[in-house]
Amino acid sequence: MSTDLHSHATAPAEPATREPLGPRFRALLTSTGMANLADGVVQVGLPLYAVTLTRSPVQISLLSAAAWLPWLLLALVGGAAVDRSDRRTVQVAALAVRAALLLAGAVAVTTGRMTVEVLIALALLYGATDVMIDLAETALVPDVTPRSRLRAAYGRIQATQMVMAAFVGAPIAGLLLGFGAAQLLGTAAALAGLGALVLALGVRGDYGRAGDPPPGTTHGLVATLRSTVGDVRQGLATLVHHPVLRPLTLAGALFNMASTGYTALLVLWAVGAGSRIGLTPGQYVWIGVAQAVGAVIGATAVERVVRRVPELHAMVTGWWAAAACLLAPVLAPRPWVLFAAVLVVGAGAAASNVLSVTVRQRLVQPGMLGRVTGASRTLGYGLMPLGALLAGAAADRWGLGPVLLAACALMLATPLLPALAVRRDMLVDADA
């Protein structure tokens, strides 16, 4: 089934006076801030809490893998569901479910029923909500933003995510863990619920793309399954046959797989008396702050950078800079080296992510965006649990240091794919 990709590829020239992003985008951005503050508390707090329950690399890597596994299992179907549903409603519902899950986790801690296995299950279900929230939000941004400001809008989304999750959420996670894991999970639940409320009240209107089925369409389970399968195939076909999106997605998937393996083991390399760097949990949370500072710089500078540097060059350079800097704390395991490295990692990774997402948003038809994003996320995020599991198993056999170095080597190699496969003239339409 063919898709006219280039009918929506050409972006209008930037007007002399920039269009305002508007109140609907500001409401979406506020909701994103609340939700990602909760996300930061959870993402930083759960691994640090898990380290108090176990020092096993396999179990720690399972926790990381569980958070990303839903992308492999749900992203394709989730993307189709987003295109056939109201994107705002999907995001509100997923945030509400996330709040309920976190509240249940807080109850489990309070009643003494929390174990490593329960924590892994909680991470798995939490990851499922993340799939739907991310797909719905990515598809909703072009609906509430002037097309000429997509880079700026997604740059602000990316910066807000990093600031709230790492710059604000990470220190709060460390503070809340001092009071207990129940307080950490309960606070995150309240923030997720607040994010759902802000989005429900601040972004009004209908944001469905597919709309109602045409008259005469057969209803029922079989027809719904066939329609969903058709949507999934269409999203996959669009991604696989696109000369720009295909290499970008493959490179991003391999990069994410390696970086997840690295990150899953970093807490063991950096935290505790038996670690190489020797940070305390309270010190470790500030790594997220340093990364967020870099991410804000990278994400907010994208709109200006691409006026001077070709978009593809900026994207690939960001990946290479991030990968190269992750070598530093392995070769020189000192606290200041780690903090300096993650500052640059945050800037490079955030800038590259903004550029890759906005390229997809411009090149894909609006009505296909959920499906193509789902297909992209299935590969891009679906390999991440595999990376965590492989890293954990390899570290059990060969040790943390060699596995961290191998992950960096793979991250350095993957940007070669888009660098060699995509020419600047292939992005002319996207940059116009």
mmCIF file of all heavy atoms in Angstrom, residues 171-184 281-282:
data_model
loop_
_atom_site.group_PDB
_atom_site.id
_atom_site.type_symbol
_atom_site.label_atom_id
_atom_site.label_comp_id
_atom_site.label_asym_id
_atom_site.label_seq_id
_atom_site.Cartn_x
_atom_site.Cartn_y
_atom_site.Cartn_z
ATOM 1 N N PRO A 171 16.709 15.463 41.831
ATOM 2 C CA PRO A 171 16.942 15.835 43.235
ATOM 3 C C PRO A 171 15.740 15.538 44.132
ATOM 4 O O PRO A 171 15.911 15.137 45.284
ATOM 5 C CB PRO A 171 17.204 17.347 43.161
ATOM 6 C CG PRO A 171 17.636 17.598 41.768
ATOM 7 C CD PRO A 171 16.888 16.612 40.930
ATOM 8 N N ILE A 172 14.531 15.733 43.597
ATOM 9 C CA ILE A 172 13.341 15.419 44.393
ATOM 10 C C ILE A 172 13.295 13.930 44.714
ATOM 11 O O ILE A 172 12.916 13.520 45.820
ATOM 12 C CB ILE A 172 12.071 15.873 43.651
ATOM 13 C CG1 ILE A 172 11.989 17.398 43.652
ATOM 14 C CG2 ILE A 172 10.821 15.281 44.300
ATOM 15 C CD1 ILE A 172 10.801 17.947 42.892
ATOM 16 N N ALA A 173 13.702 13.095 43.739
ATOM 17 C CA ALA A 173 13.730 11.654 43.982
ATOM 18 C C ALA A 173 14.676 11.323 45.134
ATOM 19 O O ALA A 173 14.352 10.511 46.010
ATOM 20 C CB ALA A 173 14.147 10.917 42.719
ATOM 21 N N GLY A 174 15.862 11.937 45.130
ATOM 22 C CA GLY A 174 16.802 11.701 46.218
ATOM 23 C C GLY A 174 16.247 12.142 47.559
ATOM 24 O O GLY A 174 16.413 11.456 48.574
ATOM 25 N N LEU A 175 15.567 13.296 47.569
ATOM 26 C CA LEU A 175 14.975 13.791 48.810
ATOM 27 C C LEU A 175 13.859 12.871 49.299
ATOM 28 O O LEU A 175 13.797 12.511 50.478
ATOM 29 C CB LEU A 175 14.427 15.209 48.577
ATOM 30 C CG LEU A 175 13.698 15.865 49.754
ATOM 31 C CD1 LEU A 175 14.659 16.089 50.919
ATOM 32 C CD2 LEU A 175 13.081 17.186 49.313
ATOM 33 N N LEU A 176 12.991 12.454 48.378
ATOM 34 C CA LEU A 176 11.858 11.610 48.759
ATOM 35 C C LEU A 176 12.309 10.231 49.234
ATOM 36 O O LEU A 176 11.686 9.646 50.125
ATOM 37 C CB LEU A 176 10.892 11.476 47.581
ATOM 38 C CG LEU A 176 10.108 12.736 47.209
ATOM 39 C CD1 LEU A 176 9.339 12.531 45.917
ATOM 40 C CD2 LEU A 176 9.148 13.123 48.337
ATOM 41 N N LEU A 177 13.377 9.704 48.625
ATOM 42 C CA LEU A 177 13.874 8.406 49.080
ATOM 43 C C LEU A 177 14.343 8.457 50.527
ATOM 44 O O LEU A 177 14.317 7.439 51.226
ATOM 45 C CB LEU A 177 15.018 7.944 48.182
ATOM 46 C CG LEU A 177 14.634 7.146 46.935
ATOM 47 C CD1 LEU A 177 15.875 6.808 46.121
ATOM 48 C CD2 LEU A 177 13.889 5.869 47.308
ATOM 49 N N GLY A 178 14.767 9.637 50.980
ATOM 50 C CA GLY A 178 15.140 9.787 52.376
ATOM 51 C C GLY A 178 13.962 9.575 53.312
ATOM 52 O O GLY A 178 14.142 9.138 54.453
ATOM 53 N N PHE A 179 12.767 9.871 52.826
ATOM 54 C CA PHE A 179 11.559 9.645 53.618
ATOM 55 C C PHE A 179 11.001 8.240 53.418
ATOM 56 O O PHE A 179 10.277 7.728 54.268
ATOM 57 C CB PHE A 179 10.489 10.675 53.256
ATOM 58 C CG PHE A 179 10.860 12.083 53.628
ATOM 59 C CD1 PHE A 179 11.343 12.953 52.675
ATOM 60 C CD2 PHE A 179 10.731 12.530 54.929
ATOM 61 C CE1 PHE A 179 11.694 14.260 53.011
ATOM 62 C CE2 PHE A 179 11.080 13.831 55.283
ATOM 63 C CZ PHE A 179 11.567 14.700 54.314
ATOM 64 N N GLY A 180 11.306 7.638 52.257
ATOM 65 C CA GLY A 180 10.811 6.295 51.991
ATOM 66 C C GLY A 180 10.299 6.153 50.575
ATOM 67 O O GLY A 180 9.890 7.138 49.941
ATOM 68 N N ALA A 181 10.310 4.917 50.071
ATOM 69 C CA ALA A 181 9.861 4.652 48.704
ATOM 70 C C ALA A 181 8.374 4.911 48.539
ATOM 71 O O ALA A 181 7.915 5.268 47.448
ATOM 72 C CB ALA A 181 10.183 3.209 48.315
ATOM 73 N N ALA A 182 7.591 4.738 49.593
ATOM 74 C CA ALA A 182 6.151 4.994 49.497
ATOM 75 C C ALA A 182 5.880 6.464 49.214
ATOM 76 O O ALA A 182 5.008 6.807 48.393
ATOM 77 C CB ALA A 182 5.448 4.564 50.784
ATOM 78 N N GLN A 183 6.615 7.351 49.867
ATOM 79 C CA GLN A 183 6.452 8.781 49.619
ATOM 80 C C GLN A 183 6.877 9.126 48.198
ATOM 81 O O GLN A 183 6.260 9.981 47.537
ATOM 82 C CB GLN A 183 7.274 9.584 50.631
ATOM 83 C CG GLN A 183 6.692 9.624 52.033
ATOM 84 C CD GLN A 183 6.910 8.342 52.812
ATOM 85 O OE1 GLN A 183 7.609 7.441 52.343
ATOM 86 N NE2 GLN A 183 6.334 8.262 54.005
ATOM 87 N N LEU A 184 7.933 8.486 47.715
ATOM 88 C CA LEU A 184 8.390 8.732 46.348
ATOM 89 C C LEU A 184 7.309 8.351 45.336
ATOM 90 O O LEU A 184 6.962 9.132 44.437
ATOM 91 C CB LEU A 184 9.668 7.938 46.090
ATOM 92 C CG LEU A 184 10.312 8.091 44.708
ATOM 93 C CD1 LEU A 184 11.829 8.142 44.840
ATOM 94 C CD2 LEU A 184 9.935 6.938 43.784
ATOM 95 N N PRO A 281 23.947 7.526 46.810
ATOM 96 C CA PRO A 281 22.701 7.752 46.054
ATOM 97 C C PRO A 281 22.333 9.219 45.951
ATOM 98 O O PRO A 281 21.850 9.679 44.910
ATOM 99 C CB PRO A 281 21.662 6.952 46.853
ATOM 100 C CG PRO A 281 22.443 5.853 47.490
ATOM 101 C CD PRO A 281 23.779 6.471 47.833
ATOM 102 N N GLY A 282 22.566 9.979 47.012
ATOM 103 C CA GLY A 282 22.254 11.405 46.982
ATOM 104 C C GLY A 282 23.104 12.167 45.986
ATOM 105 O O GLY A 282 22.636 13.136 45.371
#
